Amino acid sequence: MVIIRKPADIKPSEITPKEIYLNRRRFLREAAAVAAAGASAALLPCVTQAGQKIPNARKSPLSTGEKPTSVQDITSYNNFYEFGTDKKDPARNAQNFRTFPWSVAIEGEVKKPAVYPFEDFLKHFPLEERIYRLRCVEAWSMVVPWVGFPLRDLIRRLEPTSRAKYVEFTTLHDPEQMPGQKPGLFGAGLDWPYVEGLRLDEAMHPLTILAVGLYGEMLPNQNGAPIRLVVPWKYGFKSIKSIVKIRFVEKQPLTTWMKAGPSEYGFYSNVNPTVDHPRWSQAAERRIGEDSLFSPKRKTLMFNGYAEQVASLYTGMDLKKFF
Ligand SMILES: Nc1nc2c(c(=O)[nH]1)N[C@H]1C(S)=C(S)[C@@H](COP(=O)(O)O)O[C@H]1N2
Ligand SMILES: [Mo]
């Protein structure tokens, strides 16, 4: 489904069914009740754009005390293959990416499927600043001061059915805007749109967030505007950008990277210094911004340093098999 288009392009057959409309109204009413009961939502203006200041994001106790990477590095060294495969490509090629209007379709095994405008999330979920380590599978890392809200807050509101075991996320598919999605040399040869997935308990973990900003401002386009996932104990590619669909499913989703290289990228993708990528070691990492001749590599930590919080999700699992 193409989300962004002029009203005239929308066929009558696509107009939101009444049930979905009513679900959305109920969602708003319940969210308003939560806000009135004390949790202060961010109350942003309706028109949002990259760089706009985010007021009153609470500082989260779940943040790392490590020094954040510079905003310059975070916004100019990116993996966002829809805009090119060079680290500098996304900052250049995503400049005119349109992220307004934007909506996220909620589908599958859930009692409240609907297409929610992005602003609904901003108005009704209190935003927090979460400073997290981000460890890319390519053995570099950053520390990012995200602004977002726990994915579990949204999931609870949507009421998954008992059949929902996994959550599948999909990025916008729009080759006109995303040149990397066109076949040819510029693309990464991935199967578009980009798809990621989590087990429902991973999605419900308090560390898992949907981010809408960084460094106190709405997300820059190259970082996944207007809304992206952040799962800090997994390799960066799980943290899917520019999400247009969240689907609750019974079976483990087939992700983009599993399709591209099943022997190299597994479903779990937990940061694990003892399980190497077939082509390189995962034992150490280079911290972006520290690449002087004298800065040693850092040792990669189990679950990217979040073992205390997340190890219990994987009790009894062979992490070499379920990589
Ligand atoms: N849709 C989409 N999401 C994506 C990617 C991508 O190419 N496309 N790259 C992933 C990878 S490999 C990483 S390391 C992180 C990088 O996020 P950042 O650019 O905000 O640091 O985004 C992830 N999310
Ligand atoms: Mo990555």
Side-chain angles (χ1 to χ4, degrees), residues 166 197-205 207-208 231-235 238 267-272 302-304 306-320 322-323:
Y166 295 89
L198 294 173
R199 225 167 52 190
L200 186 60
D201 60 343
E202 298 176 321
M204 289 292 287
H205 192 281
L207 285 176
T208 305
V231 195
W233 71 94
K234 293 179 180 283
Y235 291 117
K238 297 298 279 186
F267 178 76
Y268 285 92
S269 312
N270 292 315
V271 175
N272 188 337
M302 189 62 201
F303 296 114
N304 199 25
Y306 299 94
E308 208 179 301
Q309 293 100 315
V310 303
S312 64
L313 292 170
Y314 310 104
T315 310
M317 278 176 68
D318 178 353
L319 297 179
K320 288 200 160 60
F322 297 99
F323 60 96

Side-chain angles (χ1 to χ4, degrees), residues 7-24:
D9 297 341
I10 299 173
K11 292 183 231 115
S13 60
E14 293 176 83
I15 289 182
T16 319
K18 191 165 162 224
E19 194 189 338
I20 287 179
Y21 172 72
L22 290 176
N23 272 345
R24 191 184 151 225

Side-chain angles (χ1 to χ4, degrees), residues 24 27-36 39-48 54-56 100 102 116-127 149 157 212 218 227:
R24 191 184 151 225
F27 173 93
L28 290 177
R29 206 168 49 236
E30 287 165 7
V34 170
S40 66
L43 296 173
L44 282 163
C46 274
V47 180
T48 61
I54 300 177
N56 50 352
F100 181 87
W102 193 274
Y116 294 104
F118 171 63
E119 298 77 52
D120 283 10
F121 301 132
L122 291 185
K123 282 188 212 141
H124 301 291
F125 296 109
L127 297 178
F149 59 92
R157 212 64 73 67
V212 299
M218 300 301 291
I227 187 162

Side-chain angles (χ1 to χ4, degrees), residues 79 136-138 140 236-237:
N79 275 339
C136 181
V137 73
E138 298 163 330
W140 52 263
F237 64 84

Side-chain angles (χ1 to χ4, degrees), residues 37-163:
S40 66
L43 296 173
L44 282 163
C46 274
V47 180
T48 61
Q49 58 193 52
Q52 194 176 339
K53 287 258 178 306
I54 300 177
N56 50 352
R58 288 180 306 198
K59 298 208 180 303
S60 167
L62 297 170
S63 288
T64 164
E66 280 176 83
K67 185 171 171 277
T69 302
S70 74
V71 69
Q72 177 61 30
D73 281 335
I74 293 173
T75 59
S76 63
Y77 189 91
N78 301 101
N79 275 339
F80 198 170
Y81 280 8
E82 286 85 339
F83 293 102
T85 52
D86 191 273
K87 295 287 180 280
K88 292 194 182 75
D89 282 341
R92 269 197 302 254
N93 299 332
Q95 286 288 320
N96 299 321
F97 179 43
R98 292 187 302 276
T99 61
F100 181 87
W102 193 274
S103 43
V104 180
I106 308 288
E107 299 181 356
E109 291 296 341
V110 69
K111 294 199 186 111
K112 296 177 183 173
V115 177
Y116 294 104
F118 171 63
E119 298 77 52
D120 283 10
F121 301 132
L122 291 185
K123 282 188 212 141
H124 301 291
F125 296 109
L127 297 178
E128 297 175 22
E129 181 181 73
R130 294 273 184 106
I131 307 172
Y132 281 163
R133 283 181 291 278
L134 180 133
R135 170 58 157 80
C136 181
V137 73
E138 298 163 330
W140 52 263
S141 65
M142 294 186 180
V143 177
V144 186
W146 301 111
V147 178
F149 59 92
L151 176 59
R152 65 194 286 177
D153 290 1
L154 171 64
I155 294 179
R156 286 197 173 133
R157 212 64 73 67
L158 299 170
E159 297 179 35
T161 71
S162 61
R163 277 191 297 275

